[in-house]
Amino acid sequence: MINFLDLKKVNQAYGSELKEACSRVIDSGWYIGGQELTKFEQEFAAFCGAKYCVGVANGLDALNLTLRAWREMGKLQDGDEVIVPANTYIASILAITENRLVPVLVEPDEHSFNLSARLAELAITSKTRVILAVHLYGQLADMPLLCALAKKHDLLVLEDSAQAHGASIDGRRAGTWGDASGFSFYPGKNLGALGDAGAITTNDQELASVVRALGNYGSYKKYENQYKGVNSRLDEIQAAMLRVKLQYLNHEISVRRSLANQYIAHLNNPLIKVPHPTLQEQHVWHLFVVRSEKRDELKSHLHSHGIETLIHYPVPPHKQNAYKELGSQHHPITDSLHATVLSLPLSPVTSADEVGQVIECLNSFS
């Protein structure tokens, strides 16, 4: 069996260091808001190239609290519109509606899977206040164009970097292009915790301060509450384990790129469309996603040969029951993507031999 992702094997590579990190926290007697969190925030901010990093409970909270902070700062209000790609995971949209903002779904570029800057500009109205750029599958959206567009129309830019730790354009990494960025450290991410975890990066000191207070019951000072906040904090054990794994992230990205290159070079079945990023060296390949009009048959074919695959994502947000109010919208590119995408095995512990077996099976599909 070739697993899509073997998290046990991924974490065993650093098992002794992870256990040491856990023991260090246990022995410290300090489990929330201690030195491990402070050091991780500093180290991850430096990795991204941002001035500030604020740890939170998960990636959804990272987006949610950033939008909430902008509300508290007077930059957003009820009914303001947020441009977001129609083919994103539902978390991006949940953060918008949770803050009583209006998601404006815009079609992606069908080659990059990311938000089309051209179509985003066409969607701007007098109520538009934010562009939420989702870096899907490990590749940055066209941030130079989107940031120029935002500047032209005086809009905020929020990056959803949940799948793009370390991705870059011209040496500038995810988490530093927008006014703020939300990261997820869900276990399956390129930088994954051993539980839920997230963070916000920004160069805005006020935003970082407000987000930190909001995630701490709305409090800057114990028992004094400035806002109606929530409890959303990155705990010491997860921070300690993330510090371990951050040291190896660049190496793991290089492994992912090597495997992606192998797929691209040798997968030649005309029934399967392979991604060809313009700037491959800047893609971190959180997922290797192919497309096929015979996707379900292809998935079954691979499964019959002991190859596990996943679909990211089978149902677009505008067709989810949770967003029935968006159901009348027409997004043909998004619908086509969701009906044809298939994610292949690719991880730091996937071997070149395993990728070779997957390629052989893919090329034999008819």
Side-chain angles (χ1 to χ4, degrees):
M1 178 72 179
I2 298 177
N3 294 313
F4 178 78
L5 175 62
D6 187 341
L7 284 177
K8 182 178 179 180
K9 191 173 181 181
V10 168
N11 290 313
Q12 279 179 337
Y14 320 119
S16 61
E17 292 177 79
L18 293 171
K19 291 172 184 176
E20 180 186 353
C22 288
S23 295
R24 188 170 67 241
V25 174
I26 293 168
D27 293 343
S28 76
W30 196 292
Y31 309 122
I32 298 289
Q35 287 300 307
E36 296 294 341
L37 174 62
T38 298
K39 290 177 180 178
F40 172 71
E41 288 175 339
Q42 293 170 345
E43 290 160 5
F44 190 67
F47 173 83
C48 295
K51 290 183 180 179
Y52 307 103
C53 172
V54 181
V56 294
N58 53 69
L60 174 56
D61 282 1
L63 299 177
N64 191 3
L65 291 174
T66 300
L67 293 171
R68 171 72 187 281
W70 281 333
R71 288 179 61 94
E72 297 291 352
M73 294 163 66
K75 294 177 181 287
L76 297 176
Q77 61 184 0
D78 285 9
D80 284 345
E81 294 178 350
V82 180
I83 289 174
V84 61
N87 64 316
T88 187
Y89 182 57
I90 199 169
S92 309
I93 298 170
L94 288 170
I96 297 169
T97 57
E98 176 67 18
N99 282 282
R100 300 189 297 279
L101 305 171
V102 178
V104 177
L105 306 187
V106 173
E107 291 274 57
D109 175 270
E110 62 179 320
H111 301 292
S112 72
F113 305 111
N114 283 326
L115 180 64
S116 164
R118 179 183 65 83
L119 295 178
E121 183 161 27
L122 294 176
I124 293 173
T125 73
S126 61
K127 292 184 177 182
T128 306
R129 296 291 179 271
V130 182
I131 295 175
L132 204 171
V134 182
H135 307 318
L136 207 59
Y137 303 152
Q139 180 176 212
L140 289 188
D142 192 337
M143 295 311 294
L145 279 181
L146 289 172
C147 288
L149 180 62
K151 184 176 181 179
K152 176 181 176 182
H153 294 275
D154 193 24
L155 306 177
L156 295 163
V157 176
L158 174 56
E159 297 174 71
D160 183 339
S161 301
Q163 299 185 7
H165 316 74
S168 66
I169 294 176
D170 296 332
R172 186 173 171 182
R173 281 179 162 164
T176 61
W177 284 90
D179 297 280
S181 178
F183 285 89
S184 168
F185 305 120
Y186 182 78
K189 304 299 186 186
N190 285 23
L191 178 60
L194 275 73
D196 271 323
I200 296 152
T201 58
T202 183
N203 290 331
D204 185 334
Q205 184 177 25
E206 181 185 6
L207 175 64
S209 178
V210 175
V211 164
R212 192 178 298 281
L214 285 170
N216 186 40
Y217 299 98
S219 175
Y220 292 104
K221 183 179 180 181
K222 195 168 185 178
Y223 302 130
E224 295 182 11
N225 303 84
Q226 182 73 22
Y227 313 107
K228 296 174 183 176
V230 298
N231 177 9
S232 181
R233 299 176 295 204
L234 176 59
D235 68 67
E236 284 289 281
I237 283 184
Q238 296 301 339
M241 290 190 286
L242 286 167
R243 291 185 66 207
V244 171
K245 297 184 73 175
L246 180 58
Q247 300 175 70
Y248 301 99
L249 181 55
N250 282 329
H251 168 70
E252 292 190 351
I253 289 171
S254 69
V255 172
R256 289 175 179 275
R257 286 174 174 160
S258 177
L259 297 176
N261 287 338
Q262 186 179 350
Y263 273 126
I264 291 169
H266 300 290
L267 213 171
N268 55 26
N269 188 325
L271 296 175
I272 302 169
K273 187 174 182 179
V274 181
H276 288 280
T278 305
L279 297 170
Q280 191 171 331
E281 70 279 3
Q282 297 174 356
H283 201 310
V284 295
W285 298 105
H286 171 59
L287 298 169
F288 191 90
V289 179
V290 297
R291 295 182 63 189
S292 176
E293 296 297 328
K294 301 172 71 175
R295 189 265 308 281
D296 294 340
E297 295 96 321
L298 177 60
K299 183 174 175 62
S300 296
H301 172 73
L302 291 165
H303 178 75
S304 69
H305 287 79
I307 299 167
E308 183 182 18
T309 60
L310 294 178
I311 299 171
H312 297 87
Y313 303 96
V315 182
H318 69 278
K319 291 189 174 180
Q320 297 284 359
N321 188 59
Y323 286 105
K324 288 181 287 188
E325 69 271 22
L326 303 177
S328 62
Q329 296 189 11
H330 186 53
H331 301 291
I333 296 175
T334 292
D335 290 340
S336 174
L337 288 175
H338 283 261
T340 58
V341 292
L342 185 67
S343 301
L344 305 180
L346 188 153
S347 79
V349 295
T350 305
S351 70
D353 181 64
E354 287 175 324
V355 169
Q357 293 177 55
V358 177
I359 292 170
E360 183 178 356
C361 189
L362 288 165
N363 286 338
S364 71
F365 176 70
S366 60

